[in-house]
Structures are given as structure tokens and as C-alpha cells.
Amino acid sequence: MATRKQTFPNSDGLALEPERQRAKPPPLYKVVLLNDDYTPMDFVVVVLEKFFRMSRERATIVMLNVHRQGRGVCGVFPRDLAATKVEQVSAFARRHGHPLACVMEEN
Ligand code: TYC
């Protein structure tokens, strides 16, 4: 049986290959929390609950992992969302007088 690739008409009536055959998935970025000696543990738990929608139990595990290992991943997001999370966490920590640092890294 003869087969034919599926095409879609453009606004000028010319055929286009389906977008999904050409578009790369958007790059993802890890949002990483860094340990320090001054930010209270309870505050870090609140950050993980508030900005990363973690349960108290999950937030406590992630916070202790960062405390012991020096850093830890809070989530993986498209670039704009990762940048927003970093900005929100950094502003929240600054506003409360804590040095908590949060950065993004390409996944
Ligand atoms: N190390 C901090 C303390 O002992 C707690 C802490 C955990 C700080 C995680 C930052 O990302 C962090 N109070």
C-alpha cells in the first residue's frame, strides 16, 4: 500500500510538515537549594512547602538532604518557571533576613 507523510496547509496554502517532527523539547533547568550555616531549618521547610508545593514530610526530607549534602534539587522546570522560582525564593529569604541561596542549572 502506498503511504504518504501527513501535511498541514499553511496560511498561504502551501503544505508544511507537522511541527512535532521538527520542534525540540524545551530545555529543562534544575532549581537547586544551597546549604548555609544561618538559615533556620524551619524556614527552609516553609520555602519548600510554599514555592515547590511539597508536603511537610517531603519538605523536611529535602531540607535535611541539603543540610547534610550541601545542596539539593527542589524541582525541574522550563527556563522561565525555574528563573521565577529562583527569584521568588531569593526575594522571600532576603525579606526575612536569611542568606538562603537558590540557583538554577541546565538539566
Ligand atoms: N544548615 C542550616 C542550619 O543548620 C539549615 C539549612 C538547610 C540551611 C538547607 C539552608 O538550604 C538550606 N540551620
Side-chain angles (χ1 to χ4, degrees):
M1 189 178 76
T3 57
R4 186 185 288 271
K5 257 198 207 150
Q6 189 181 11
T7 57
F8 298 112
N10 198 2
S11 55
D12 59 11
L14 297 174
L16 290 175
E17 297 300 323
E19 187 65 26
R20 73 188 129 78
Q21 292 183 356
R22 287 181 288 119
K24 279 203 244 98
L28 296 176
Y29 290 77
K30 292 185 276 218
V31 174
V32 177
L33 216 49
L34 305 181
N35 188 38
D36 65 73
D37 291 339
Y38 305 104
T39 304
M41 289 184 173
D42 286 356
F43 183 82
V44 179
V45 169
V46 168
V47 164
L48 293 167
E49 290 175 330
K50 181 176 170 70
F51 296 106
F52 300 94
R53 300 171 172 268
M54 292 185 195
S55 66
R56 172 65 51 105
E57 292 70 28
R58 177 81 192 136
T60 301
I61 289 168
V62 171
M63 180 280 294
L64 285 173
N65 183 53
V66 176
H67 176 69
R68 290 170 182 147
Q69 304 297 322
R71 49 183 281 139
V73 176
C74 313
V76 177
F77 308 95
R79 186 174 55 203
D80 285 4
L81 186 50
T84 299
K85 299 280 182 197
V86 167
E87 200 39 60
Q88 288 175 333
V89 169
S90 303
F92 187 67
R94 222 178 302 129
R95 182 148 54 86
H96 287 84
H98 301 308
L100 180 64
C102 182
V103 299
M104 60 193 274
E105 294 177 356
E106 191 161 7
N107 204 20

